[in-house]
Amino acid sequence: MTSLDKPTTAQDGTRPDHGQAPQGAAPGAGAAAGADGTDGGDSTKALTEAALFDAFGGLRGMVETVLPGLLFVTIYTINKDLHVSALAALGVSLLLVVFRLIRRDTVKHAFSGVFGVAFGVVFAMMTGNAKDFYLPGMLYTLGLGVAYIATTLAGVPLIGLILGPIFKENLSWRTRNPGRKKAYAKASYAWGLILLGKCAILFPLYWWADTTQLGWVLVALKIPPFLLAVYLTWIFLAKAPPPIDVFAEMEAEEQAERERAAAAANGTPAAAPREREA
């Protein structure tokens, strides 16, 4: 058990408040969620929405995911030119990265798109088969779907590993927050099954359909399965216990240690820990 997920106990034997909020939330929002079923529940839902938006890129992230593939299949449908279609898709991916850099936004989603498109371009150019532009992304989707299922069966749901740092709870949900671990397991199963269902549609098309048919179906399947998975994740986590902010706990421990050291140096007894507010 690491220092970031081990239980901590105050001097009076009680554990610190688990209702901590992710970055950007008002202090005490998580505690409100545990203390009251209305405002606290709304706060938990809002925090979950913010975390999912951060993790998956929001509207702009969806545009960056869809646009290169849409441009590729549109150009290829018109002129059947693999090189022009592939280079246009790669070019728009690079432009999206440049646009984010100019605006000084996070580039993780745009960079992931560039790498995905670049792999597709290289693979299609090597084989000379335009359908192979989509194959690396399809294999990635298949592997990700298997990973969601496998990690959940192993007791470490992948969605928890992704969202834990965003909620500032790290891996504390594994040992200290069974309600959230159960929610993460449900969400990971949902992601895995949705992605595998998507693969069950795309791989037969890869073998039996032409490039334009595969491309348009793939574009159509970019957003709806993703939104369904995000929505189910939001449902499961909004109903789960609030996250445990392990960073706030560590800061509180360090502050208490400094106070005890200062009190010892001055020869005065350390103040008793303050009781948690109801």
Side-chain angles (χ1 to χ4, degrees):
M1 194 178 298
T2 69
S3 62
L4 297 185
D5 67 1
K6 67 182 181 180
T8 54
T9 306
Q11 291 181 359
D12 61 355
T14 62
R15 288 187 181 181
D17 191 357
H18 291 178
Q20 300 292 339
Q23 187 172 8
D36 132 358
T38 54
D39 291 343
D42 291 342
S43 176
T44 300
K45 291 178 180 179
L47 296 175
T48 303
E49 289 174 6
L52 291 175
F53 187 90
D54 184 23
F56 300 114
L59 180 60
R60 188 183 300 177
M62 288 190 287
V63 170
E64 292 168 346
T65 299
V66 172
L67 191 56
L70 177 61
L71 187 61
F72 177 90
V73 71
T74 300
I75 295 175
Y76 191 83
T77 300
I78 295 171
N79 63 14
K80 298 296 188 291
D81 190 319
L82 169 60
H83 291 78
V84 173
S85 303
L87 293 177
L90 183 59
V92 76
S93 297
L94 292 172
L95 284 175
L96 291 171
V97 172
V98 171
F99 181 71
R100 279 188 175 266
L101 289 173
I102 292 173
R103 293 174 56 87
R104 298 185 178 180
D105 292 336
T106 177
V107 295
K108 60 182 179 181
H109 302 290
F111 267 129
S112 65
V114 168
F115 289 133
V117 172
F119 276 118
V121 168
V122 170
F123 204 63
M125 294 290 193
M126 289 175 59
T127 64
N129 184 353
K131 283 197 290 187
D132 288 339
F133 173 79
Y134 302 109
L135 188 57
M138 291 166 58
L139 292 173
Y140 173 78
T141 300
L142 177 62
L144 190 59
V146 171
Y148 274 116
I149 301 295
T151 54
T152 305
L153 291 174
V156 192
L158 180 58
I159 198 70
L161 300 178
I162 295 171
L163 295 180
I166 296 175
F167 279 112
K168 303 197 325 188
E169 60 182 336
N170 282 1
L171 298 180
S172 62
W173 51 267
R174 290 188 61 203
T175 54
R176 302 172 58 193
N177 207 339
R180 284 190 73 79
K181 182 177 181 179
K182 185 176 180 180
Y184 281 139
K186 290 179 179 179
S188 285
Y189 277 131
W191 277 91
L193 293 174
I194 288 170
L195 293 178
L196 293 178
K198 181 178 175 180
C199 290
I201 297 172
L202 293 177
F203 276 97
L205 290 175
Y206 174 80
W207 294 110
W208 298 317
D210 61 33
T211 301
T212 56
Q213 290 172 333
L214 173 62
W216 286 112
V217 171
L218 199 147
V219 168
L221 289 178
K222 280 284 188 181
I223 300 302
F226 172 79
L227 291 179
L228 176 60
V230 171
Y231 175 72
L232 291 175
T233 302
W234 176 77
I235 289 294
F236 295 140
L237 292 182
K239 295 179 179 179
I244 301 169
D245 189 337
V246 295
F247 296 101
E249 289 185 345
M250 292 174 66
E251 290 171 2
E253 289 178 358
E254 292 170 0
Q255 178 64 27
E257 184 63 31
R258 287 194 294 267
E259 291 176 355
R260 286 193 293 269
N266 294 332
T268 57
R274 288 189 302 175
E275 208 147 319
R276 188 174 62 181
E277 294 182 4

Short mmCIF file of all heavy atoms in Angstrom, two decimals, residues 125-183:
data_model
loop_
_atom_site.label_atom_id
_atom_site.label_comp_id
_atom_site.label_asym_id
_atom_site.label_seq_id
_atom_site.Cartn_x
_atom_site.Cartn_y
_atom_site.Cartn_z
N MET A 125 0.19 3.65 -46.70
CA MET A 125 1.19 3.89 -47.74
C MET A 125 2.04 2.64 -47.97
O MET A 125 2.41 2.31 -49.11
CB MET A 125 2.10 5.06 -47.34
CG MET A 125 1.40 6.40 -47.26
SD MET A 125 0.92 7.03 -48.87
CE MET A 125 0.50 8.72 -48.46
N MET A 126 2.37 1.93 -46.91
CA MET A 126 3.20 0.73 -47.05
C MET A 126 2.47 -0.38 -47.78
O MET A 126 3.07 -1.09 -48.61
CB MET A 126 3.65 0.25 -45.66
CG MET A 126 4.67 1.12 -44.98
SD MET A 126 5.04 0.58 -43.29
CE MET A 126 5.62 -1.08 -43.58
N THR A 127 1.20 -0.56 -47.48
CA THR A 127 0.45 -1.67 -48.09
C THR A 127 -0.20 -1.27 -49.40
O THR A 127 -0.54 -2.14 -50.21
CB THR A 127 -0.63 -2.17 -47.13
OG1 THR A 127 -1.60 -1.12 -46.91
CG2 THR A 127 -0.04 -2.60 -45.80
N GLY A 128 -0.42 0.03 -49.62
CA GLY A 128 -1.11 0.47 -50.81
C GLY A 128 -2.61 0.25 -50.76
O GLY A 128 -3.31 0.46 -51.75
N ASN A 129 -3.11 -0.16 -49.59
CA ASN A 129 -4.54 -0.42 -49.41
C ASN A 129 -5.13 0.70 -48.57
O ASN A 129 -4.75 0.88 -47.40
CB ASN A 129 -4.75 -1.78 -48.74
CG ASN A 129 -6.22 -2.15 -48.61
OD1 ASN A 129 -7.12 -1.35 -48.90
ND2 ASN A 129 -6.47 -3.38 -48.16
N ALA A 130 -6.07 1.46 -49.12
CA ALA A 130 -6.63 2.60 -48.41
C ALA A 130 -7.34 2.19 -47.12
O ALA A 130 -7.38 2.96 -46.15
CB ALA A 130 -7.58 3.37 -49.32
N LYS A 131 -7.89 0.99 -47.09
CA LYS A 131 -8.58 0.54 -45.87
C LYS A 131 -7.62 0.41 -44.69
O LYS A 131 -8.04 0.51 -43.54
CB LYS A 131 -9.28 -0.81 -46.12
CG LYS A 131 -10.56 -0.69 -46.90
CD LYS A 131 -11.41 -1.94 -46.78
CE LYS A 131 -10.82 -3.12 -47.50
NZ LYS A 131 -11.76 -4.26 -47.52
N ASP A 132 -6.35 0.21 -44.99
CA ASP A 132 -5.38 0.06 -43.91
C ASP A 132 -5.12 1.36 -43.17
O ASP A 132 -4.48 1.36 -42.11
CB ASP A 132 -4.06 -0.51 -44.45
CG ASP A 132 -4.19 -1.97 -44.83
OD1 ASP A 132 -5.11 -2.62 -44.32
OD2 ASP A 132 -3.38 -2.45 -45.64
N PHE A 133 -5.59 2.48 -43.71
CA PHE A 133 -5.54 3.73 -42.96
C PHE A 133 -6.30 3.60 -41.64
O PHE A 133 -5.92 4.21 -40.63
CB PHE A 133 -6.15 4.86 -43.80
CG PHE A 133 -6.30 6.16 -43.07
CD1 PHE A 133 -5.22 7.01 -42.87
CD2 PHE A 133 -7.54 6.55 -42.56
CE1 PHE A 133 -5.37 8.22 -42.19
CE2 PHE A 133 -7.70 7.75 -41.88
CZ PHE A 133 -6.60 8.58 -41.70
N TYR A 134 -7.34 2.80 -41.63
CA TYR A 134 -8.19 2.64 -40.44
C TYR A 134 -7.73 1.51 -39.52
O TYR A 134 -8.16 1.45 -38.36
CB TYR A 134 -9.64 2.38 -40.86
CG TYR A 134 -10.23 3.45 -41.71
CD1 TYR A 134 -10.49 3.22 -43.06
CD2 TYR A 134 -10.52 4.71 -41.20
CE1 TYR A 134 -11.03 4.22 -43.86
CE2 TYR A 134 -11.06 5.71 -41.98
CZ TYR A 134 -11.32 5.46 -43.32
OH TYR A 134 -11.84 6.44 -44.11
N LEU A 135 -6.89 0.61 -40.03
CA LEU A 135 -6.58 -0.59 -39.27
C LEU A 135 -5.87 -0.33 -37.94
O LEU A 135 -6.25 -0.93 -36.91
CB LEU A 135 -5.76 -1.55 -40.13
CG LEU A 135 -5.52 -2.94 -39.52
CD1 LEU A 135 -6.84 -3.62 -39.19
CD2 LEU A 135 -4.68 -3.80 -40.47
N PRO A 136 -4.84 0.54 -37.87
CA PRO A 136 -4.21 0.78 -36.56
C PRO A 136 -5.21 1.27 -35.51
O PRO A 136 -5.17 0.83 -34.35
CB PRO A 136 -3.15 1.83 -36.87
CG PRO A 136 -2.82 1.63 -38.29
CD PRO A 136 -4.12 1.26 -38.95
N GLY A 137 -6.10 2.19 -35.89
CA GLY A 137 -7.10 2.67 -34.94
C GLY A 137 -8.06 1.58 -34.50
O GLY A 137 -8.46 1.52 -33.34
N MET A 138 -8.42 0.69 -35.43
CA MET A 138 -9.31 -0.41 -35.07
C MET A 138 -8.63 -1.39 -34.12
O MET A 138 -9.24 -1.86 -33.17
CB MET A 138 -9.76 -1.12 -36.36
CG MET A 138 -10.68 -0.29 -37.23
SD MET A 138 -10.88 -0.95 -38.90
CE MET A 138 -11.50 -2.59 -38.54
N LEU A 139 -7.35 -1.67 -34.37
CA LEU A 139 -6.61 -2.55 -33.47
C LEU A 139 -6.45 -1.91 -32.09
O LEU A 139 -6.52 -2.61 -31.06
CB LEU A 139 -5.24 -2.88 -34.07
CG LEU A 139 -5.28 -3.74 -35.34
CD1 LEU A 139 -3.87 -3.86 -35.92
CD2 LEU A 139 -5.85 -5.12 -35.04
N TYR A 140 -6.23 -0.60 -32.07
CA TYR A 140 -6.13 0.11 -30.79
C TYR A 140 -7.45 0.02 -30.02
O TYR A 140 -7.47 -0.23 -28.80
CB TYR A 140 -5.76 1.57 -31.04
CG TYR A 140 -5.80 2.43 -29.80
CD1 TYR A 140 -4.77 2.39 -28.87
CD2 TYR A 140 -6.88 3.28 -29.55
CE1 TYR A 140 -4.81 3.18 -27.73
CE2 TYR A 140 -6.93 4.06 -28.41
CZ TYR A 140 -5.88 4.00 -27.51
OH TYR A 140 -5.94 4.77 -26.38
N THR A 141 -8.56 0.20 -30.72
CA THR A 141 -9.88 0.10 -30.09
C THR A 141 -10.10 -1.29 -29.52
O THR A 141 -10.60 -1.45 -28.40
CB THR A 141 -10.99 0.45 -31.10
OG1 THR A 141 -10.80 1.79 -31.56
CG2 THR A 141 -12.37 0.32 -30.46
N LEU A 142 -9.72 -2.31 -30.28
CA LEU A 142 -9.85 -3.69 -29.81
C LEU A 142 -9.00 -3.92 -28.56
O LEU A 142 -9.48 -4.49 -27.57
CB LEU A 142 -9.44 -4.65 -30.92
CG LEU A 142 -9.45 -6.14 -30.57
CD1 LEU A 142 -10.85 -6.60 -30.19
CD2 LEU A 142 -8.92 -6.97 -31.73
N GLY A 143 -7.75 -3.47 -28.61
CA GLY A 143 -6.87 -3.66 -27.45
C GLY A 143 -7.36 -2.91 -26.23
O GLY A 143 -7.29 -3.43 -25.10
N LEU A 144 -7.89 -1.71 -26.44
CA LEU A 144 -8.39 -0.92 -25.32
C LEU A 144 -9.63 -1.58 -24.71
O LEU A 144 -9.78 -1.61 -23.48
CB LEU A 144 -8.72 0.49 -25.80
CG LEU A 144 -9.04 1.54 -24.73
CD1 LEU A 144 -7.88 1.70 -23.77
CD2 LEU A 144 -9.38 2.87 -25.38
N GLY A 145 -10.51 -2.10 -25.56
CA GLY A 145 -11.69 -2.79 -25.04
C GLY A 145 -11.30 -4.00 -24.20
O GLY A 145 -11.86 -4.23 -23.12
N VAL A 146 -10.33 -4.78 -24.68
CA VAL A 146 -9.86 -5.94 -23.91
C VAL A 146 -9.22 -5.48 -22.61
O VAL A 146 -9.40 -6.11 -21.55
CB VAL A 146 -8.86 -6.76 -24.75
CG1 VAL A 146 -8.19 -7.84 -23.91
CG2 VAL A 146 -9.58 -7.40 -25.95
N ALA A 147 -8.46 -4.37 -22.65
CA ALA A 147 -7.79 -3.87 -21.45
C ALA A 147 -8.80 -3.45 -20.39
O ALA A 147 -8.61 -3.70 -19.19
CB ALA A 147 -6.88 -2.70 -21.81
N TYR A 148 -9.89 -2.79 -20.81
CA TYR A 148 -10.92 -2.40 -19.84
C TYR A 148 -11.49 -3.62 -19.13
O TYR A 148 -11.67 -3.61 -17.90
CB TYR A 148 -12.05 -1.63 -20.54
CG TYR A 148 -11.80 -0.16 -20.69
CD1 TYR A 148 -11.66 0.42 -21.96
CD2 TYR A 148 -11.69 0.68 -19.59
CE1 TYR A 148 -11.44 1.79 -22.10
CE2 TYR A 148 -11.47 2.04 -19.73
CZ TYR A 148 -11.35 2.59 -20.99
OH TYR A 148 -11.12 3.93 -21.12
N ILE A 149 -11.78 -4.66 -19.87
CA ILE A 149 -12.36 -5.87 -19.27
C ILE A 149 -11.33 -6.58 -18.40
O ILE A 149 -11.62 -6.97 -17.25
CB ILE A 149 -12.88 -6.82 -20.36
CG1 ILE A 149 -13.95 -6.14 -21.22
CG2 ILE A 149 -13.42 -8.10 -19.74
CD1 ILE A 149 -15.21 -5.78 -20.48
N ALA A 150 -10.11 -6.76 -18.93
CA ALA A 150 -9.09 -7.53 -18.22
C ALA A 150 -8.68 -6.85 -16.91
O ALA A 150 -8.53 -7.52 -15.87
CB ALA A 150 -7.87 -7.72 -19.12
N THR A 151 -8.48 -5.53 -16.94
CA THR A 151 -8.07 -4.84 -15.71
C THR A 151 -9.18 -4.88 -14.66
O THR A 151 -8.88 -4.94 -13.46
CB THR A 151 -7.69 -3.38 -16.01
OG1 THR A 151 -8.78 -2.73 -16.69
CG2 THR A 151 -6.45 -3.31 -16.88
N THR A 152 -10.41 -4.84 -15.10
CA THR A 152 -11.51 -4.92 -14.13
C THR A 152 -11.57 -6.30 -13.50
O THR A 152 -11.75 -6.44 -12.28
CB THR A 152 -12.85 -4.60 -14.82
OG1 THR A 152 -12.75 -3.33 -15.47
CG2 THR A 152 -13.99 -4.54 -13.81
N LEU A 153 -11.40 -7.35 -14.31
CA LEU A 153 -11.36 -8.71 -13.77
C LEU A 153 -10.19 -8.90 -12.81
O LEU A 153 -10.27 -9.67 -11.85
CB LEU A 153 -11.27 -9.72 -14.91
CG LEU A 153 -12.50 -9.85 -15.81
CD1 LEU A 153 -12.23 -10.76 -16.99
CD2 LEU A 153 -13.70 -10.34 -15.01
N ALA A 154 -9.10 -8.15 -13.06
CA ALA A 154 -7.93 -8.24 -12.18
C ALA A 154 -8.08 -7.39 -10.92
O ALA A 154 -7.20 -7.40 -10.05
CB ALA A 154 -6.68 -7.80 -12.94
N GLY A 155 -9.18 -6.65 -10.80
CA GLY A 155 -9.43 -5.85 -9.61
C GLY A 155 -8.86 -4.45 -9.66
O GLY A 155 -8.85 -3.74 -8.65
N VAL A 156 -8.36 -4.02 -10.84
CA VAL A 156 -7.81 -2.67 -10.99
C VAL A 156 -8.45 -2.04 -12.23
O VAL A 156 -7.81 -1.95 -13.28
CB VAL A 156 -6.28 -2.69 -11.12
CG1 VAL A 156 -5.72 -1.27 -10.99
CG2 VAL A 156 -5.65 -3.61 -10.12
N PRO A 157 -9.71 -1.61 -12.15
CA PRO A 157 -10.39 -1.09 -13.34
C PRO A 157 -9.62 0.04 -14.00
O PRO A 157 -9.19 0.98 -13.34
CB PRO A 157 -11.74 -0.60 -12.78
CG PRO A 157 -11.93 -1.33 -11.50
CD PRO A 157 -10.56 -1.56 -10.95
N LEU A 158 -9.45 -0.06 -15.31
CA LEU A 158 -8.66 0.91 -16.04
C LEU A 158 -9.21 2.32 -15.92
O LEU A 158 -8.44 3.28 -15.83
CB LEU A 158 -8.60 0.50 -17.53
CG LEU A 158 -7.80 1.41 -18.46
CD1 LEU A 158 -6.35 1.54 -17.99
CD2 LEU A 158 -7.84 0.87 -19.89
N ILE A 159 -10.53 2.48 -15.90
CA ILE A 159 -11.10 3.82 -15.81
C ILE A 159 -10.72 4.48 -14.48
O ILE A 159 -10.56 5.69 -14.40
CB ILE A 159 -12.63 3.79 -16.00
CG1 ILE A 159 -13.17 5.18 -16.35
CG2 ILE A 159 -13.33 3.22 -14.79
CD1 ILE A 159 -12.80 5.65 -17.69
N GLY A 160 -10.53 3.68 -13.43
CA GLY A 160 -10.08 4.22 -12.16
C GLY A 160 -8.64 4.70 -12.22
O GLY A 160 -8.28 5.72 -11.62
N LEU A 161 -7.80 3.99 -12.97
CA LEU A 161 -6.42 4.43 -13.15
C LEU A 161 -6.35 5.72 -13.94
O LEU A 161 -5.46 6.55 -13.73
CB LEU A 161 -5.62 3.33 -13.86
CG LEU A 161 -5.53 1.98 -13.15
CD1 LEU A 161 -4.74 0.99 -14.00
CD2 LEU A 161 -4.92 2.10 -11.77
N ILE A 162 -7.30 5.90 -14.87
CA ILE A 162 -7.32 7.12 -15.68
C ILE A 162 -7.85 8.31 -14.89
O ILE A 162 -7.27 9.39 -14.92
CB ILE A 162 -8.18 6.88 -16.94
CG1 ILE A 162 -7.53 5.82 -17.84
CG2 ILE A 162 -8.37 8.19 -17.72
CD1 ILE A 162 -8.41 5.38 -18.99
N LEU A 163 -8.96 8.09 -14.18
CA LEU A 163 -9.64 9.21 -13.52
C LEU A 163 -9.14 9.47 -12.10
O LEU A 163 -9.32 10.58 -11.58
CB LEU A 163 -11.15 8.95 -13.48
CG LEU A 163 -11.86 8.89 -14.83
CD1 LEU A 163 -13.35 8.62 -14.64
CD2 LEU A 163 -11.66 10.18 -15.60
N GLY A 164 -8.51 8.49 -11.46
CA GLY A 164 -8.06 8.67 -10.08
C GLY A 164 -7.18 9.89 -9.89
O GLY A 164 -7.44 10.72 -9.00
N PRO A 165 -6.14 10.10 -10.70
CA PRO A 165 -5.31 11.30 -10.54
C PRO A 165 -6.08 12.59 -10.80
O PRO A 165 -5.78 13.62 -10.20
CB PRO A 165 -4.20 11.09 -11.58
CG PRO A 165 -4.14 9.61 -11.79
CD PRO A 165 -5.55 9.14 -11.67
N ILE A 166 -7.06 12.56 -11.70
CA ILE A 166 -7.83 13.77 -11.99
C ILE A 166 -8.70 14.15 -10.79
O ILE A 166 -8.85 15.33 -10.46
CB ILE A 166 -8.71 13.55 -13.24
CG1 ILE A 166 -7.81 13.32 -14.46
CG2 ILE A 166 -9.64 14.74 -13.49
CD1 ILE A 166 -8.55 12.97 -15.73
N PHE A 167 -9.23 13.15 -10.10
CA PHE A 167 -10.00 13.40 -8.88
C PHE A 167 -9.11 13.63 -7.66
O PHE A 167 -9.60 13.84 -6.56
CB PHE A 167 -10.94 12.23 -8.58
CG PHE A 167 -12.21 12.23 -9.38
CD1 PHE A 167 -12.46 11.27 -10.34
CD2 PHE A 167 -13.18 13.18 -9.14
CE1 PHE A 167 -13.64 11.27 -11.06
CE2 PHE A 167 -14.37 13.19 -9.85
CZ PHE A 167 -14.59 12.23 -10.82
N LYS A 168 -7.77 13.53 -7.86
CA LYS A 168 -6.80 13.68 -6.77
C LYS A 168 -6.96 12.61 -5.71
O LYS A 168 -6.61 12.82 -4.56
CB LYS A 168 -6.88 15.08 -6.16
CG LYS A 168 -6.66 16.16 -7.20
CD LYS A 168 -6.32 17.54 -6.68
CE LYS A 168 -6.93 17.97 -5.42
NZ LYS A 168 -6.67 19.39 -5.10
N GLU A 169 -7.49 11.45 -6.12
CA GLU A 169 -7.61 10.34 -5.18
C GLU A 169 -6.58 9.24 -5.46
O GLU A 169 -6.42 8.31 -4.66
CB GLU A 169 -9.02 9.73 -5.24
CG GLU A 169 -9.40 9.17 -6.60
CD GLU A 169 -10.82 8.63 -6.64
OE1 GLU A 169 -11.35 8.26 -5.58
OE2 GLU A 169 -11.40 8.58 -7.74
N ASN A 170 -5.87 9.35 -6.59
CA ASN A 170 -4.88 8.33 -6.99
C ASN A 170 -5.48 6.93 -6.91
O ASN A 170 -6.53 6.68 -7.50
CB ASN A 170 -3.61 8.49 -6.19
CG ASN A 170 -2.76 9.65 -6.71
OD1 ASN A 170 -3.14 10.33 -7.67
ND2 ASN A 170 -1.62 9.89 -6.10
N LEU A 171 -4.86 6.04 -6.14
CA LEU A 171 -5.37 4.67 -6.02
C LEU A 171 -6.08 4.43 -4.69
O LEU A 171 -6.31 3.28 -4.32
CB LEU A 171 -4.22 3.66 -6.18
CG LEU A 171 -3.50 3.68 -7.52
CD1 LEU A 171 -2.40 2.63 -7.53
CD2 LEU A 171 -4.46 3.44 -8.68
N SER A 172 -6.44 5.49 -3.98
CA SER A 172 -7.09 5.31 -2.68
C SER A 172 -8.41 4.55 -2.79
O SER A 172 -8.82 3.89 -1.84
CB SER A 172 -7.32 6.67 -2.01
OG SER A 172 -8.20 7.46 -2.78
N TRP A 173 -9.05 4.64 -3.96
CA TRP A 173 -10.33 3.95 -4.14
C TRP A 173 -10.18 2.43 -4.07
O TRP A 173 -11.15 1.72 -3.77
CB TRP A 173 -10.95 4.33 -5.48
CG TRP A 173 -10.04 4.21 -6.66
CD1 TRP A 173 -9.25 5.18 -7.19
CD2 TRP A 173 -9.80 3.05 -7.46
NE1 TRP A 173 -8.54 4.71 -8.27
CE2 TRP A 173 -8.86 3.40 -8.47
CE3 TRP A 173 -10.30 1.75 -7.44
CZ2 TRP A 173 -8.40 2.50 -9.42
CZ3 TRP A 173 -9.85 0.85 -8.40
CH2 TRP A 173 -8.92 1.22 -9.37
N ARG A 174 -8.98 1.91 -4.29
CA ARG A 174 -8.79 0.46 -4.28
C ARG A 174 -8.98 -0.14 -2.89
O ARG A 174 -9.53 -1.23 -2.74
CB ARG A 174 -7.40 0.10 -4.79
CG ARG A 174 -7.18 0.35 -6.27
CD ARG A 174 -5.85 -0.21 -6.71
NE ARG A 174 -5.80 -1.64 -6.51
CZ ARG A 174 -4.69 -2.35 -6.37
NH1 ARG A 174 -3.51 -1.74 -6.39
NH2 ARG A 174 -4.73 -3.66 -6.20
N THR A 175 -8.48 0.56 -1.86
CA THR A 175 -8.46 -0.02 -0.51
C THR A 175 -9.33 0.74 0.49
O THR A 175 -9.69 0.17 1.52
CB THR A 175 -7.01 -0.02 0.03
OG1 THR A 175 -6.46 1.29 -0.06
CG2 THR A 175 -6.15 -0.97 -0.79
N ARG A 176 -9.67 1.98 0.19
CA ARG A 176 -10.34 2.80 1.19
C ARG A 176 -11.73 3.26 0.77
O ARG A 176 -12.44 3.84 1.58
CB ARG A 176 -9.48 4.04 1.49
CG ARG A 176 -8.09 3.72 1.99
CD ARG A 176 -7.24 4.98 2.08
NE ARG A 176 -7.84 5.97 2.96
CZ ARG A 176 -7.45 7.24 3.04
NH1 ARG A 176 -6.45 7.66 2.28
NH2 ARG A 176 -8.05 8.07 3.84
N ASN A 177 -12.11 3.01 -0.44
CA ASN A 177 -13.38 3.53 -0.94
C ASN A 177 -14.06 2.48 -1.81
O ASN A 177 -14.11 2.62 -3.04
CB ASN A 177 -13.14 4.83 -1.73
CG ASN A 177 -14.34 5.76 -1.72
OD1 ASN A 177 -15.45 5.33 -1.47
ND2 ASN A 177 -14.10 7.03 -2.00
N PRO A 178 -14.58 1.42 -1.21
CA PRO A 178 -15.13 0.31 -2.01
C PRO A 178 -16.29 0.72 -2.91
O PRO A 178 -16.47 0.12 -3.97
CB PRO A 178 -15.57 -0.71 -0.94
CG PRO A 178 -15.69 0.07 0.33
CD PRO A 178 -14.66 1.15 0.24
N GLY A 179 -17.04 1.74 -2.49
CA GLY A 179 -18.14 2.19 -3.34
C GLY A 179 -17.64 2.75 -4.66
O GLY A 179 -18.23 2.51 -5.72
N ARG A 180 -16.56 3.52 -4.62
CA ARG A 180 -16.00 4.06 -5.86
C ARG A 180 -15.33 2.96 -6.68
O ARG A 180 -15.38 2.98 -7.92
CB ARG A 180 -15.00 5.18 -5.55
CG ARG A 180 -15.66 6.46 -5.16
CD ARG A 180 -14.69 7.62 -5.08
NE ARG A 180 -14.25 8.10 -6.37
CZ ARG A 180 -14.97 8.91 -7.16
NH1 ARG A 180 -16.19 9.29 -6.78
NH2 ARG A 180 -14.48 9.33 -8.30
N LYS A 181 -14.70 2.00 -6.02
CA LYS A 181 -14.10 0.90 -6.77
C LYS A 181 -15.17 0.13 -7.55
O LYS A 181 -14.97 -0.23 -8.72
CB LYS A 181 -13.37 -0.05 -5.81
CG LYS A 181 -12.68 -1.20 -6.54
CD LYS A 181 -11.91 -2.08 -5.57
CE LYS A 181 -11.23 -3.22 -6.32
NZ LYS A 181 -10.45 -4.09 -5.42
N LYS A 182 -16.31 -0.08 -6.93
CA LYS A 182 -17.42 -0.75 -7.61
C LYS A 182 -17.91 0.08 -8.79
O LYS A 182 -18.20 -0.46 -9.87
CB LYS A 182 -18.55 -1.00 -6.62
CG LYS A 182 -19.71 -1.81 -7.19
CD LYS A 182 -20.75 -2.09 -6.11
CE LYS A 182 -21.91 -2.91 -6.66
NZ LYS A 182 -22.94 -3.17 -5.61
N ALA A 183 -18.00 1.40 -8.60
CA ALA A 183 -18.44 2.27 -9.69
C ALA A 183 -17.44 2.25 -10.83
O ALA A 183 -17.82 2.22 -12.02
CB ALA A 183 -18.63 3.70 -9.17
#
